[in-house]
Amino acid sequence: PFEKKTLGENHPAVAATLNNLAVLYGKRGKYRDAEPLCKRALEIREKVLGKDHPDVAKQLNNLALLCQNQGKYEEVERYYQRALEIYECKLGPDDPNVAKTKNNLASCYLKQCKYKEAEILYKQVLTRAHEREFGTIDGDNKPIWQVAEEREENKHRNKDNVPYGEYGGWHKAAKVDSPTVTTTLKNLGALYRRQGKYEAAETLEDCALRSRKEAKVAQLLGSGGERRSGRNARVGSRESLESMQYDQDECAALSYVQRTPSGTLETKQGGLKTKIFSVLGINQ
């Protein structure tokens, strides 16, 4: 039976299962079916955990992504901004979820052609990552986006442009071991290209490429700690390519979802959507 009947309608396991079902629907492109499940999971988590709990922020991220796929950008901005406030307040500005949520919000801005707002967020992510690794920003310690913009400004003064080395160790940015930073480099590079800043774009793209190579070498040498293998390694490699992903709960089983011998997911007979919506009292 569905968890609500045995654990109560506001049990965290119910929220986790609802979230996983919403993720399943979202990955299948059934955003309208997923949204009420995600909203109900959010209500439960707010009631049980409090409105400023990190798990609430995770649910807000999922809800924002579902709404973004439906073009509901005002709601998307509100959900991401609230999630960002929770993460920064409860987990601190250096928590990986802060950078990921800023990337997600920037993506929402890009969909609406709000390029300046997106650019500000990308620069915040790169600046914070640089300061965390290499100290306070100054004339000899510049974040990579500033290096990129200086190269853009100087491209007509010097045909061959100024070598990277003259900018006080620009290569530091490529040594930041963070898939989110690598994604941000690519995203801001793409935005620069859209603005016609090709020299700046190439600088960030080159840095992102070097960053991936650095990470790969470090993994092969085992310098980054215990090497990941199997499924975890594949998940890590995907993270750098897909900055926007649903957060799925691992603790809750999907009561009406089973895996076929071929490895695909399918619902058991009886109508998953009808059963879940009926239990929750949601009109279809």
Side-chain angles (χ1 to χ4, degrees):
F2 187 63
E3 280 87 343
K4 178 181 175 183
K5 295 182 179 180
T6 57
L7 301 176
E9 63 181 10
N10 291 321
H11 194 280
V14 175
T17 298
L18 289 169
N19 177 65
N20 285 349
L21 288 170
V23 169
L24 181 65
Y25 276 136
K27 289 181 177 179
R28 291 179 173 181
K30 298 181 179 180
Y31 308 122
R32 291 185 179 179
D33 292 338
E35 187 177 344
L37 300 178
C38 199
K39 285 184 175 179
R40 177 59 182 141
L42 176 62
E43 291 175 2
I44 295 173
R45 284 177 162 156
E46 287 179 330
K47 184 173 183 179
V48 175
L49 303 173
K51 292 189 175 183
D52 58 351
H53 192 279
D55 281 353
V56 170
K58 179 176 70 174
Q59 199 68 57
L60 287 165
N61 259 310
N62 282 356
L63 184 54
L65 184 51
L66 288 171
C67 289
Q68 181 160 325
N69 285 322
Q70 299 175 74
K72 300 178 180 179
Y73 297 120
E74 289 186 6
E75 293 180 48
V76 174
E77 288 186 28
R78 186 168 68 251
Y79 293 142
Y80 279 143
Q81 287 168 352
R82 187 180 160 204
L84 185 58
E85 290 175 1
I86 294 173
Y87 282 138
E88 288 182 324
C89 179
K90 293 298 180 179
L91 303 180
D94 293 328
D95 185 82
N97 288 297
V98 172
K100 289 179 182 179
T101 303
K102 285 186 176 182
N103 264 286
N104 291 349
L105 180 55
S107 175
C108 173
Y109 285 144
L110 289 179
K111 293 282 186 180
Q112 303 172 79
C113 298
K114 296 181 178 180
Y115 302 131
K116 190 62 179 178
E117 290 88 340
E119 184 176 335
I120 289 172
L121 290 175
Y122 289 143
K123 288 179 177 179
Q124 286 177 355
V125 172
L126 295 177
T127 299
R128 187 64 186 178
H130 191 92
E131 288 179 329
R132 185 171 63 250
E133 294 289 335
F134 310 113
T136 305
I137 302 298
D138 57 33
D140 295 321
N141 186 32
K142 301 175 183 178
I144 187 61
W145 65 264
Q146 190 172 343
V147 174
E149 292 192 350
E150 288 180 356
R151 287 177 60 80
E152 181 69 32
E153 292 175 2
N154 293 331
K155 66 181 179 181
H156 297 302
R157 301 178 188 175
N158 185 347
K159 185 176 181 181
D160 298 324
N161 215 329
V162 180
Y164 285 132
E166 294 186 17
Y167 281 90
W170 70 274
H171 58 281
K172 290 179 178 179
K175 296 182 181 295
V176 177
D177 183 17
S178 169
T180 302
V181 169
T182 303
T183 297
T184 306
L185 288 168
K186 293 190 296 182
N187 289 345
L188 182 54
L191 178 55
Y192 279 149
R193 282 197 177 278
R194 186 174 294 184
Q195 297 172 333
K197 300 177 181 179
Y198 300 114
E199 190 69 36
E202 289 177 5
T203 302
L204 296 189
E205 290 162 358
D206 181 50
C207 188
L209 180 61
R210 290 170 183 263
S211 179
R212 289 196 297 271
K213 289 180 178 179
E214 290 271 357
K216 187 173 183 179
V217 170
Q219 185 178 15
L220 291 174
L221 296 177
S223 61
E226 185 177 354
R227 292 174 62 181
R228 293 177 296 177
S229 60
R231 179 178 177 274
N232 288 336
R234 291 193 296 273
V235 170
S237 64
R238 284 200 304 270
E239 185 180 14
S240 63
L241 299 177
E242 302 175 12
S243 61
M244 299 181 63
Q245 296 181 337
Y246 295 104
D247 288 313
Q248 188 163 348
D249 292 281
E250 298 179 356
C251 61
L254 300 181
S255 301
Y256 293 109
V257 179
Q258 62 183 4
R259 190 173 295 277
T260 66
S262 63
T264 59
L265 290 173
E266 67 176 16
T267 57
K268 294 182 180 180
Q269 293 182 351
L272 170 63
K273 177 181 174 182
T274 301
K275 288 182 179 180
I276 298 299
F277 278 44
S278 176
V279 168
L280 297 174
I282 299 173
N283 295 323
Q284 300 185 51

